[in-house]
Amino acid sequence: MIPIAAGARIWIATGHTDMRKGMQGLALLVQEGFGRDPFAGDVFVFRGRAGTLIKALWHDGIGLSLYAKRLDRGRFIWPSTVDGVVALSAAQMGYLLEAIDWRNPQHSWRPQSAG
């Protein structure tokens, strides 16, 4: 998991993003497209058109980091709105990275007793 500070906000960039963009291109998108500061310590998450790759952009106070995750099977769950950003909690970000539906996580069945 990304070592995110407790006060950091997590933002999902809705819609599809060109996954050929690197740190500079995504930081420019955050700054000009969303009107937010990419160096403020918030995490910005982007998804490509196919839905199998996400990139997370984060500035930790020392430097800019770019994390990527590609799924072998399935797709990342993404909001259906076209433009803008959606805020997530750290727990929802964990679900997102595990390809679990972060909008409505379902607990798996657990046995209540051993016998």
Side-chain angles (χ1 to χ4, degrees), residues 2 9-11 22-31 37-39 41-46 54-60 63-68 93:
I2 302 170
R9 291 175 296 191
I10 302 166
W11 302 97
M23 278 191 245
Q24 309 303 352
L26 293 174
L28 187 64
L29 178 64
V30 167
Q31 186 174 339
D37 183 8
F39 308 109
D42 295 345
V43 179
F44 297 91
V45 186
F46 305 89
I54 61 170
K55 289 185 177 181
L57 184 71
W58 173 55
H59 193 276
D60 62 359
L64 199 59
S65 299
L66 181 65
Y67 298 91
M93 175 72 168

Side-chain angles (χ1 to χ4, degrees), residues 6-88:
R9 291 175 296 191
I10 302 166
W11 302 97
I12 286 186
T14 60
H16 305 292
T17 304
D18 182 0
M19 288 289 102
R20 296 175 291 182
K21 291 184 180 188
M23 278 191 245
Q24 309 303 352
L26 293 174
L28 187 64
L29 178 64
V30 167
Q31 186 174 339
E32 293 182 354
F34 306 133
R36 301 198 183 272
D37 183 8
F39 308 109
D42 295 345
V43 179
F44 297 91
V45 186
F46 305 89
R47 186 185 88 153
R49 185 168 298 279
T52 59
L53 175 67
I54 61 170
K55 289 185 177 181
L57 184 71
W58 173 55
H59 193 276
D60 62 359
I62 298 172
L64 199 59
S65 299
L66 181 65
Y67 298 91
K69 183 167 184 172
R70 181 182 311 271
L71 293 179
D72 293 331
R73 287 180 285 167
R75 293 176 177 220
F76 289 104
I77 304 297
W78 218 247
S80 59
T81 56
V82 178
D83 293 324
V85 291
V86 173
L88 287 184

